[in-house]
Amino acid sequence: MSALFDRFPKLAQTLAHVDLRVTETPVERWTVSGESLRAKRDDLSAPLLGGNKVRALELLLAGISCGDTVLTVGASGSTHALAVAEYARSLGAECEVITWPQDTNAVSLATSSRLNAAARVVRARSVAHAYLLAALRRARHRVTWVPAGGSVPLGAIGHVNAALELVAQLARVGEPMPDTIVVPLGSGGTVAGLLVGLAIAGLHTRVVGVRVVPRAVANRWRVLRLARQTRLLLSRLASEALPAIDPQRLEIEQGAYGVAYGRETDDGRKASRSLRAAGGPRLDGTYSAKAFGSALDRARRVPDEGVLFWLTFDGRWLADDDDANGESDG
């Protein structure tokens, strides 16, 4: 949380958080299929399990202690649910996850298998059924509730920190800010936090959220509402007025979804293979492969635009074989 605390020193006393060993993640320049763009390697955010979710969990798991129970929900191959389970366990807590079915692929199946080993998993018939079971569980038992994706204002503050981290690290090395940041758009916490952080820094960088979930979940109204709620919460905690969110800084890419959550696309597979051939990291077909395909296409179509791809998926733990080589997702 150092970038956030540098900007708002009072938060070190007012914002409860837990040390999950999150560190500044590098920015790399990639050349893939002849196109040049930069990447924010948030897959390397923490040693236990990287990716974007741990940034929210630094705040959402504050106060958890040995013997507590953490409850969350997610699709059967949810990397959010896996992150909650692994970090709750690292703090000595138990984790319960209520899941619903999703289209499967190699990585989602591997994620589901690891989740089953890390948490008590209850399988629901649908999203609505999962939330009903979660509501009943919360009413009858003492649990710490972590919403799907960690996408609530408190969790999104972790991604405000990430935006300020990017601004600071590029300034240190004298590199310009990107014109556009391309990031997967699921439950919206990462995109909302980036919008707030960039507004605080006074920058006009555009955030392109590549939609990978149904439109009812990922849409402008929901993302901007979460961003405004996050700004208000942060302003109250920091006792400081913050700049307003500019809706024009948000763009939602609709074309990469692929009909169903978790269903791979040809463009995503191609982009993932191209990155691996260039020596890059694994991607997941549900989130990062689709978003990277959009980022690569944008770099190709608008060569003068500075594009930065925000890698939210940590594939380091996957088996290094042809079935789970990052060309699929979870």
Side-chain angles (χ1 to χ4, degrees), residues 2 23 42 50 85 95 105 132 140 164 179 195 222 227 265 286 299:
S2 58
T23 59
D42 246 29
C95 184
N105 51 60
L132 174 61
R140 295 171 180 172
L164 296 176
D179 299 306
L195 287 170
R222 288 177 62 96
T265 64
T286 301

Side-chain angles (χ1 to χ4, degrees), residues 58-82:
E58 284 193 297
L59 301 167
L60 297 175
L61 294 182
I64 293 296
S65 58
C66 190
D68 289 349
T69 299
V70 178
L71 174 68
T72 194
V73 296
S76 57
S78 167
T79 49
H80 156 75
L82 178 60

Side-chain angles (χ1 to χ4, degrees), residues 36-49:
S36 178
L37 71 168
R38 288 180 289 178
K40 177 69 166 163
R41 294 289 306 272
D42 246 29
D43 58 317
L44 306 177
S45 58
L48 174 61
L49 186 65

Side-chain angles (χ1 to χ4, degrees), residues 164-316:
L164 296 176
E165 173 185 296
L166 174 67
V167 173
Q169 68 185 137
L170 291 182
R172 282 200 309 267
V173 297
E175 286 197 20
M177 280 293 294
D179 299 306
T180 300
I181 295 173
V182 179
V183 59
L185 174 58
S187 53
T190 302
V191 173
L194 293 178
L195 287 170
V196 176
L198 293 169
I200 290 170
L203 299 172
H204 298 290
T205 297
R206 180 185 303 106
V207 179
V208 177
V210 179
R211 183 172 67 85
V212 298
V213 298
R215 198 186 300 262
V217 176
N219 55 67
R220 288 185 64 82
W221 181 85
R222 288 177 62 96
V223 173
L224 290 172
R225 178 173 179 265
L226 178 55
R228 288 166 180 145
Q229 291 174 335
T230 302
R231 171 184 168 271
L232 289 174
L233 175 59
L234 185 56
S235 178
R236 179 172 61 81
L237 291 171
S239 299
E240 183 175 329
L242 301 180
I245 306 300
D246 181 359
Q248 298 304 312
R249 298 298 97 201
L250 171 64
E251 179 182 328
I252 297 181
E253 167 60 52
Q254 305 284 4
Y257 176 45
V259 183
Y261 176 79
R263 187 173 299 177
E264 296 178 279
T265 64
D266 290 340
D267 287 346
R269 289 191 189 96
K270 182 179 178 181
S272 179
R273 292 187 182 115
S274 296
L275 179 59
R276 292 291 280 164
R282 297 182 179 92
L283 302 180
D284 62 303
T286 301
Y287 288 88
S288 58
K290 293 175 181 178
F292 181 64
S294 292
L296 198 60
D297 181 63
R298 198 174 192 99
R300 182 182 301 113
R301 288 187 293 104
V302 193
D304 294 333
E305 182 179 54
V307 175
L308 182 142
F309 168 61
W310 201 282
L311 178 52
T312 60
F313 173 77
D314 181 8
R316 293 173 295 176

Side-chain angles (χ1 to χ4, degrees), residues 40-186:
K40 177 69 166 163
R41 294 289 306 272
D42 246 29
D43 58 317
L44 306 177
S45 58
L48 174 61
L49 186 65
N52 60 330
K53 299 305 181 184
V54 63
R55 291 187 182 270
L57 293 178
E58 284 193 297
L59 301 167
L60 297 175
L61 294 182
I64 293 296
S65 58
C66 190
D68 289 349
T69 299
V70 178
L71 174 68
T72 194
V73 296
S76 57
S78 167
T79 49
H80 156 75
L82 178 60
V84 173
E86 292 287 8
Y87 282 104
R89 187 165 63 171
S90 76
L91 297 171
E94 297 181 351
C95 184
E96 298 180 7
V97 179
I98 303 173
T99 67
W100 56 81
Q102 73 163 95
D103 278 34
T104 60
N105 51 60
V107 177
S108 69
L109 291 172
T111 302
S112 181
S113 178
R114 180 169 171 177
L115 178 61
N116 288 335
R120 176 177 177 266
V121 177
V122 176
R123 290 172 176 79
R125 296 186 299 273
S126 63
V127 175
H129 186 216
Y131 274 94
L132 174 61
L133 294 177
L136 293 172
R137 183 74 174 91
R138 294 168 66 193
R140 295 171 180 172
H141 302 275
R142 183 179 180 275
V143 298
T144 297
W145 168 242
V146 177
S151 294
V152 290
L154 181 61
I157 287 177
H159 305 296
V160 177
N161 177 69
L164 296 176
E165 173 185 296
L166 174 67
V167 173
Q169 68 185 137
L170 291 182
R172 282 200 309 267
V173 297
E175 286 197 20
M177 280 293 294
D179 299 306
T180 300
I181 295 173
V182 179
V183 59
L185 174 58

